[in-house]
Amino acid sequence: MPRIPYVDPEELPERYETIERIGADLPEGVDSAFWNDQPTVRTFSNNPELGAAHVRMNTELWTETGLSREELEAVILAVARAVGSTYEWHDHAIAALERTELSEETIRSIADGDPEGVDGPEWLLVEYAFEYVENGGDVDGGIDDRIAERYDDGTVVGLAMLAGYYVSLAHVIRALGVELEDEFVGWELENYG
């Protein structure tokens, strides 16, 4: 049960500067109206500056990490799975299926921690995210070297910040009791579609 009420969408900003600035780089349909409909934004906007900061941070992370959309979603899904965040898993499993080329098999493989079903560079990122969560951000067990071989320094910073933000967001969502408005899509996507 939510611990604080949602802010009425009519009390939220009609537009966010960040979205106006980088909107063309965002997935179709991700605009100010999209954000103002999100339970996170409507909850966090009990503190208006932090509601807007959440929108800003998400949109910046989605466009400035140096990762592709598929890579971004793989990291977010791995973090969500590792911390058991049904809210983040639900939103990002749907986003991955509907806005990227990640397959249902890949998403289920992330849920199961099974590299066999994950093609391309995504599995390395999934391993990184799992280790990031498991070790409280301490990723020096060799995964950091493999990441550095594949990605430039700026993207490594983006990856670490992306993982850290979504770990933190999972805790904030739990602390404030933000709930899904739809039936949970399921770790195995059993309720998708």
Side-chain angles (χ1 to χ4, degrees), residues 107-125:
I107 294 168
R108 285 188 192 100
S109 294
I110 293 169
D112 296 338
D114 176 16
E116 294 300 314
V118 181
D119 294 326
E122 284 85 14
W123 186 252
L124 177 61
L125 296 168

Side-chain angles (χ1 to χ4, degrees), residues 148-164:
E149 288 172 11
R150 178 156 184 90
Y151 298 99
D152 65 37
D153 292 345
T155 303
V156 173
V157 169
L159 171 59
M161 291 185 73
L162 178 70

Side-chain angles (χ1 to χ4, degrees), residues 50-159:
L50 294 182
H54 173 66
V55 171
R56 194 168 44 253
M57 188 63 169
N58 269 280
T59 55
E60 294 287 342
L61 285 170
W62 292 353
T63 59
E64 301 302 326
T65 60
L67 299 170
S68 71
R69 287 188 184 164
E70 289 77 16
E71 292 170 324
L72 281 165
E73 293 300 342
V75 171
I76 295 167
L77 287 168
V79 167
R81 186 62 174 124
V83 299
S85 176
T86 56
Y87 187 98
E88 289 174 321
W89 180 268
H90 178 88
D91 278 1
H92 286 277
I94 293 169
L97 289 167
E98 296 177 0
R99 297 186 196 133
T100 77
E101 299 295 318
L102 287 181
S103 67
E104 287 188 27
E105 179 185 6
T106 295
I107 294 168
R108 285 188 192 100
S109 294
I110 293 169
D112 296 338
D114 176 16
E116 294 300 314
V118 181
D119 294 326
E122 284 85 14
W123 186 252
L124 177 61
L125 296 168
V126 168
E127 283 183 291
Y128 177 93
F130 284 150
E131 188 166 318
Y132 187 103
V133 172
E134 184 178 319
N135 297 324
D138 187 6
V139 289
D140 66 358
I143 190 85
D144 56 329
D145 291 334
R146 291 188 293 144
I147 289 287
E149 288 172 11
R150 178 156 184 90
Y151 298 99
D152 65 37
D153 292 345
T155 303
V156 173
V157 169
L159 171 59

